[in-house]
Amino acid sequence: MTLIGSLVTKNQPIFQKIPLGWRASQVKYLGRYINGYAFKPEDWSHEGKPILRIQNLSNPNASLNRYQGVLPEAYIIRNGDILISWSASLGVFQWTGEDAWLNQHIFKVDIHKSLVRPDYFRWLASWFIYEMAHKAHGSTMQHLTWDAFGSFPVLLPSLEEQRKIANYLDRETAKIDTLISARERLLDLLTEKRRALITHAVTRGLNPDVCLQNSSFEFFKYIPEHWEVINLKFLTEVRTGVTKGRNFGNRETVLVPYFRVANVQDGYLDLSDIAQIEVLPEEISSFKLEKGDVLMNEGGDADKLGRGAVWDGSIDPCLHQNHVFAVRCHNIEPDWLTTVIGSHYAKAYFESRSKQSTNLASISTTNMKELPIVVPPPDERKAIIEYLKEATLKLDRLCSVARSTIELLHERRTALITAAVTGQIKVTA
């Protein structure tokens, strides 16, 4: 299965002008869009054709349920079919597997080849799906209505020019994708080196000659003999957040900034996009964050589970969503806690205690409270924190450069696709 387009830059005008020889159309005229069947969990089986769900599009490694019943031919997808997910994870994909059943919220596109070539349609669709994303309602789970989807305007060049544009984008985006993959590999290596450095420091300390004891924990075998291991619940107060989408009836509410999973990164908070949530005025004090709270993700993609950072109080008031824990430290420093949760052993704990659902994961409040925290004496904690700040500084800078480069390459890719399918550049060969 291949992801054709992933568009990530800011919105821009759809058309500034229509190139000579091109014509205006709408998405609904480009093909027949067949929505998948509304499978229910009781339909799932271990036999029969696999059921392709949105989770399988965004994560090809997610398990496939099966259905051994009989449905109309329209619900079968075959190798090479073009698919558009219009709910949750929006995107354009090409199926490259065995025959499968199509689940709801995914369109199988039967392209009108007299109007548009399949190879060109994939690039055009990757563009218009991105452009329509700002029309989608829902934040974590986006959703496109058929009216917005079908009536969206597009431009169509001749079939021969479509062929040239598709070939051009195949070639040029492949170059960019190669660069992106290289930078992502570098970022993974830097992240792994950083985590290994932290893990050694928070489980062995800074003295290479220290006497060790058996930890009796499955996640780390030995620790210095004068250290303790204490469950998180005895060191902190783990606070759950406010739930989205509640019905308040006629009661007066207020909008307050709040943190989502996307804001809580590994070791830092991303404040570039702070959303607001509707709450009752009297709820603010219950969910309000305090300076020094450690924000930790309760759920989301598996790689986001448990990661966290210290809140500096720069937005007041600020709340947190129910998928983000606010951990208020009483007998441990917030900086020590964020250091520990950046280790291999903490990540292994979260993975072992989490509830997995396709490519998503979550951890309960109870399991979060049981997280074993390695606790050296206060002076050693301070020394390790200071050592790691210095030791990880260069790695953090390199990671930041790698992330910025990846973002710029994605923006370049997006701009290239946009320019080609809207006629802003002339593709001659």
Side-chain angles (χ1 to χ4, degrees):
M1 184 163 42
T2 305
L3 173 62
I4 302 300
S6 179
L7 305 181
V8 293
T9 58
K10 296 179 179 179
N11 292 323
Q12 48 192 301
I14 294 176
F15 306 131
Q16 295 179 348
K17 61 182 179 179
I18 299 179
L20 185 65
W22 292 41
R23 57 182 175 133
S25 185
Q26 291 180 325
V27 170
K28 60 187 174 186
Y29 298 124
L30 304 182
R32 187 164 67 102
Y33 302 87
I34 302 165
N35 190 19
Y37 182 77
F39 287 100
K40 299 178 177 62
E42 54 264 32
D43 296 327
W44 298 348
S45 172
H46 296 294
E47 299 178 357
K49 291 186 181 68
I51 301 171
L52 183 70
R53 298 181 292 162
I54 286 178
Q55 296 94 319
N56 303 113
L57 294 176
S58 57
N59 179 15
N61 296 319
S63 60
L64 284 165
N65 297 108
R66 293 180 177 269
Y67 178 70
Q68 58 181 344
V70 178
L71 293 172
E73 179 79 11
Y75 294 121
I76 296 178
I77 53 172
R78 306 190 188 282
N79 189 58
D81 281 348
I82 296 173
L83 309 172
I84 296 176
S85 60
W86 52 272
S87 183
S89 178
L90 308 180
V92 183
F93 305 83
Q94 186 169 26
W95 179 243
T96 55
E98 62 180 302
D99 288 0
W101 296 112
L102 185 65
N103 196 34
Q104 63 180 341
H105 303 311
I106 305 173
F107 286 131
K108 178 177 69 172
V109 187
D110 183 8
I111 296 169
H112 296 331
K113 296 180 181 178
S114 61
L115 293 176
V116 60
R117 292 173 55 96
D119 53 358
Y120 179 76
F121 177 84
R122 294 196 297 270
W123 291 114
L124 181 63
S126 71
W127 169 75
F128 68 66
I129 284 291
Y130 166 74
E131 289 291 339
M132 284 190 290
H134 73 282
K135 297 180 181 293
H137 51 81
S139 56
T140 305
M141 298 289 285
Q142 291 186 305
H143 178 82
L144 291 174
T145 66
W146 171 250
D147 286 342
F149 184 85
S151 62
F152 197 84
V154 293
L155 295 179
L156 293 177
S158 67
L159 291 175
E160 175 57 22
E161 193 160 2
Q162 289 179 30
R163 181 189 66 79
K164 293 178 182 178
I165 292 173
N167 289 341
Y168 170 78
L169 289 175
D170 286 343
R171 182 176 65 253
E172 296 303 316
T173 58
K175 298 175 184 176
I176 297 174
D177 290 342
T178 298
L179 293 174
I180 291 174
S181 295
R183 294 303 184 275
E184 288 176 338
R185 287 195 298 274
L186 173 61
L187 183 58
D188 287 343
L189 289 171
L190 291 170
T191 302
E192 173 60 25
K193 184 173 182 179
R194 186 182 192 275
R195 195 179 297 277
L197 189 66
I198 291 171
T199 301
H200 187 272
V202 301
T203 58
R204 293 299 182 93
L206 304 181
N207 179 6
D209 300 319
V210 69
C211 294
L212 300 175
Q213 63 173 324
N214 193 310
S215 72
S216 74
F217 280 86
E218 60 183 300
F219 305 103
F220 45 93
K221 191 172 183 180
Y222 299 104
I223 59 170
E225 62 180 8
H226 61 291
W227 289 17
E228 296 181 275
V229 180
I230 305 174
N231 296 110
L232 184 66
K233 63 184 177 183
F234 298 117
L235 300 169
T236 68
E237 175 190 358
V238 180
R239 302 166 63 89
T240 56
V242 63
T243 303
K244 291 180 56 184
R246 294 176 295 163
N247 183 2
F248 295 101
N250 296 324
R251 289 178 292 177
E252 180 182 356
T253 60
V254 292
L255 286 173
V256 185
Y258 79 108
F259 279 126
R260 301 161 291 152
V261 170
N263 298 118
V264 183
Q265 301 296 314
D266 193 2
Y268 70 97
L269 298 174
D270 182 357
L271 306 183
S272 61
D273 182 18
I274 303 297
Q276 293 186 316
I277 194 167
E278 189 178 11
V279 296
L280 299 171
E282 59 269 24
E283 292 180 311
I284 294 177
S285 59
S286 299
F287 296 108
K288 179 182 174 182
L289 295 172
E290 293 183 1
K291 182 178 180 180
D293 283 349
V294 177
L295 296 169
M296 297 173 63
N297 285 333
E298 172 268 347
D301 296 335
D303 66 314
K304 298 179 177 64
L305 190 66
R307 71 184 185 187
V310 181
W311 173 231
D312 65 3
S314 57
I315 301 173
D316 187 33
C318 188
L319 312 185
H320 58 109
Q321 187 187 4
N322 61 317
H323 295 305
V324 176
F325 292 117
V327 182
R328 193 156 294 168
C329 298
H330 299 308
N331 300 309
I332 202 75
E333 303 85 357
D335 284 345
W336 180 255
L337 177 56
T338 55
T339 300
V340 167
I341 63 177
S343 67
H344 280 303
Y345 98 72
K347 184 176 179 62
Y349 175 84
F350 294 136
E351 290 177 350
S352 69
R353 299 296 189 269
S354 67
K355 180 181 179 181
Q356 300 287 333
S357 173
T358 61
N359 62 320
L360 300 178
S362 62
I363 188 166
S364 67
T365 306
T366 300
N367 281 321
M368 179 62 75
K369 289 179 178 180
E370 295 299 325
L371 171 68
I373 303 295
V374 178
V375 184
D379 58 337
E380 283 193 68
R381 297 200 299 267
K382 181 178 179 181
I384 292 171
I385 290 170
E386 291 303 316
Y387 162 77
L388 287 174
K389 282 182 180 178
E390 181 67 27
T392 61
L393 183 61
K394 183 177 180 180
L395 290 173
D396 290 341
R397 288 173 177 169
L398 291 172
C399 286
S400 179
V401 171
R403 291 190 193 97
S404 296
T405 303
I406 291 168
E407 182 178 351
L408 289 171
L409 287 168
H410 277 296
E411 290 179 356
R412 166 61 181 161
R413 191 181 195 274
T414 299
L416 192 66
I417 297 170
T418 300
V421 301
T422 58
Q424 297 175 40
I425 57 174
K426 181 68 174 177
V427 177
T428 58

